[in-house]
Amino acid sequence: WHFYTGQATRKWNAAAAGNCTWYAMRRWQSFWRRHLYPAFNGNASNWGKSARALKYRVFKFPTTQAIVVFPASKAHKFGHVAWVDEMQPRHDGTWIHIWEMNFLHLYDIHNRWIKVTPQLSFIPASAI
């Protein structure tokens, strides 16, 4: 049920340790249970564009087992990425459960539920 058709990968995690990008790549690699990391480039806010250029699928709708890409903001001028493991419809919209690193501090890992907004994009690691 995995979706992989030869998109660019690396055998190492090219992101800076302790950052959200490093953690998201690590979660992707763990999902595949292989020693392959996506070859995305740039800051977190650019990952959607980078993924498309490398022939990965990028969606504007939420999915699990995916990297969610947050745009740049005042709080995170380089954007942010996290790993989505659950979705939940609620009366006020769709919510996703994410695991992330460096939302507040380097190397800190935590999880939370967030409401899906149109600004988010999703890079799925599995088939839909």
Side-chain angles (χ1 to χ4, degrees):
W1 57 279
H2 295 198
F3 179 84
Y4 178 75
T5 58
Q7 291 90 342
T9 58
R10 295 183 179 112
K11 291 186 178 185
W12 68 93
N13 190 336
N19 285 297
C20 63
T21 51
W22 184 91
Y23 185 73
M25 282 194 185
R26 179 70 183 100
R27 291 297 299 252
W28 179 289
Q29 185 270 341
S30 294
F31 173 78
W32 279 98
R33 296 185 182 155
R34 295 189 201 172
H35 190 67
L36 296 175
Y37 297 89
F40 307 147
N41 293 307
N43 294 321
S45 61
N46 296 325
W47 273 25
K49 184 178 179 179
S50 177
R52 280 187 201 90
L54 296 170
K55 307 295 185 216
Y56 287 86
R57 297 181 304 166
V58 180
F59 300 135
K60 289 304 290 177
F61 57 86
T63 183
T64 61
Q65 308 313 315
I67 293 172
V68 58
V69 180
F70 296 80
S73 66
K74 286 182 182 180
H76 295 278
K77 68 180 180 177
F78 301 114
H80 187 62
V81 290
W83 182 257
V84 181
D85 68 348
E86 290 184 63
M87 285 188 338
Q88 189 177 91
R90 297 185 186 174
H91 72 281
D92 60 345
T94 301
W95 288 68
I96 55 174
H97 184 256
I98 62 171
W99 288 89
E100 60 195 334
M101 181 180 272
N102 193 26
F103 182 69
L104 298 174
H105 305 287
L106 278 176
Y107 293 99
D108 282 351
I109 298 171
H110 74 285
N111 67 90
R112 60 186 170 128
W113 285 93
I114 62 165
K115 186 176 177 180
V116 175
T117 65
Q119 294 81 18
L120 302 178
S121 58
F122 300 85
I123 308 168
S126 63
I128 300 297

